[in-house]
Amino acid sequence: MVAAGLNIGAVLRERVLPVVLGLAVIGGIWEAAIRAFDVKPYVLPSLTAIFGATIDDLPMMLTALQATLYEAGLGYALGTAIGVALAMLMVFLPAVERGLMPVVVAINSVPVVAYTPLALIWLGIGPASKIAMVTLAVGFVILVNTLHGLKRPEQAAINLMRSFGAGPITIMAKLRVPAALPSVVNGLRVAVVRAVLIAIVSEMLGAYAGIGWVIFQATQQVDFLLVWAGVLTASVASMILYLLLVWVDRKLVWWQ
C-alpha cells in the first residue's frame, strides 16, 4: 500500500504537475495579455468568458461531443483493425507490400480532409462520411507504425525460431507482434488525436451534429464565444483520450 502510494505520488509529480503548471502559466499569460493590450473579445476572449460560455451551453456541448466521439471512435477502431491487418498481410506476402504501399502513400500524400467532399457525395452528410474519413486517416498511421514494428526483429532471431520448427504464424505471434507493440501503441497515441481532429473538420464541411457542426454554426452566427467553447470541449476530450492511451502504453509496453 505504501509503495503504491509512493508510485502514484511520483506519477503525479512527474506527469501531472508539469502539465498543470504549464497550463497555469499559459492561462496567466493569456489573461495578462488581454488586459494589458485591451484585446477585443471577438479577437481573443478571456478564459473566464470561454469557461462561462462552455458551462452555459454544456448540455449542447456534451450532445455534440457524443456525436463527434462516436464518429471518431468507430473510425478509430476500423482504421486500427484495417491498418494492423494490412501490415500483417504485407509481412506474410512481401509482394502485397510492393504493390499496395505506393498506392497507400499516394492516397495519403493528399490531406485527408481534401477527400471529405467526395465522402459527403458518396456516403451522405450523416456520420458515415465522417467515420470513413477518420478510418482513412487512422488506418495509414497504424499501418506504417505496425509495419515498422513487425519488421523490427533481426533475421537471426527469425532464423533461430525457424530452426526449431516455427512457422510464419508462430513467428508472427511470438516474435513479431511483441516486438511491434511499442510502435503500434505509439501509432495509437498519434492516431487518437488525429481521429478527433478529422471528425471535427469533416463535420464543419457538412453534418447534422457534432462539435465541428457547432463551431461552424457559431461562426455563421458570429458567436465567437461559442466557437471557443467548442474548441475547449474538443481539446479537453482529446487530452483525456491521449492520456488514456498513455496509460494503455504503460500497461502493454511495461518493459519500456
Side-chain angles (χ1 to χ4, degrees), residues 5-254:
L6 291 174
N7 187 39
I8 293 173
V11 171
L12 290 175
R13 286 194 304 272
E14 295 175 5
R15 300 282 182 176
V16 178
L17 186 58
V19 174
V20 173
L21 291 176
L23 291 175
V25 170
I26 293 173
I29 295 173
W30 186 321
E31 293 290 325
I34 289 174
R35 285 165 172 73
F37 299 103
D38 192 24
V39 180
K40 301 302 180 184
Y42 61 84
V43 177
L44 186 65
S46 66
L47 289 176
T48 52
I50 294 172
F51 286 133
T54 305
I55 296 300
D56 291 341
D57 294 305
L58 190 58
M60 179 183 68
M61 286 298 173
L62 292 179
T63 301
L65 181 62
Q66 183 179 4
T68 299
L69 290 182
Y70 168 75
E71 297 161 353
L74 189 52
Y76 184 79
L78 289 173
T80 299
I82 292 171
V84 171
L86 277 178
M88 288 184 173
L89 181 62
M90 288 178 180
V91 170
F92 281 128
L93 302 172
V96 174
E97 180 184 359
R98 291 193 295 271
L100 191 59
M101 202 62 183
V103 178
V104 173
V105 172
I107 291 173
N108 281 273
S109 63
V110 179
V112 175
V113 292
Y115 297 113
T116 301
L118 296 176
L120 292 173
I121 294 171
W122 294 337
L123 301 173
I125 205 170
S129 55
K130 313 330 178 268
I131 293 169
M133 289 295 93
V134 174
T135 301
L136 179 62
V138 170
F140 179 72
V141 174
I142 300 300
L143 170 61
V144 171
N145 280 269
T146 304
L147 189 61
H148 172 74
L150 292 175
K151 290 182 176 181
R152 181 175 293 176
E154 296 181 359
Q155 190 61 41
I158 296 173
N159 292 337
L160 179 62
M161 290 193 68
R162 285 174 178 166
S163 68
F164 284 100
I169 295 178
T170 302
I171 293 173
M172 176 66 72
K174 295 188 175 181
L175 180 62
R176 291 190 185 275
V177 170
L181 273 179
S183 294
V184 174
V185 175
N186 184 57
L188 289 172
R189 286 195 297 179
V190 173
V192 71
V193 178
R194 196 178 189 195
V196 177
L197 173 64
I198 295 299
I200 291 174
V201 173
S202 299
E203 288 168 351
M204 292 176 70
L205 296 177
Y208 295 120
I211 292 293
W213 177 80
V214 169
I215 293 173
F216 177 76
Q217 293 295 319
T219 303
Q220 293 291 95
Q221 298 166 12
V222 200
D223 188 348
F224 294 111
L225 273 179
L226 187 57
V227 171
W228 279 100
V231 171
L232 176 63
T233 304
S235 299
V236 171
S238 297
M239 187 180 300
I240 292 172
L241 291 173
Y242 182 82
L243 291 175
L244 179 61
L245 263 295
V246 170
W247 178 81
V248 171
D249 187 359
R250 287 178 171 273
K251 292 295 181 181
L252 287 180
V253 196
W254 50 268

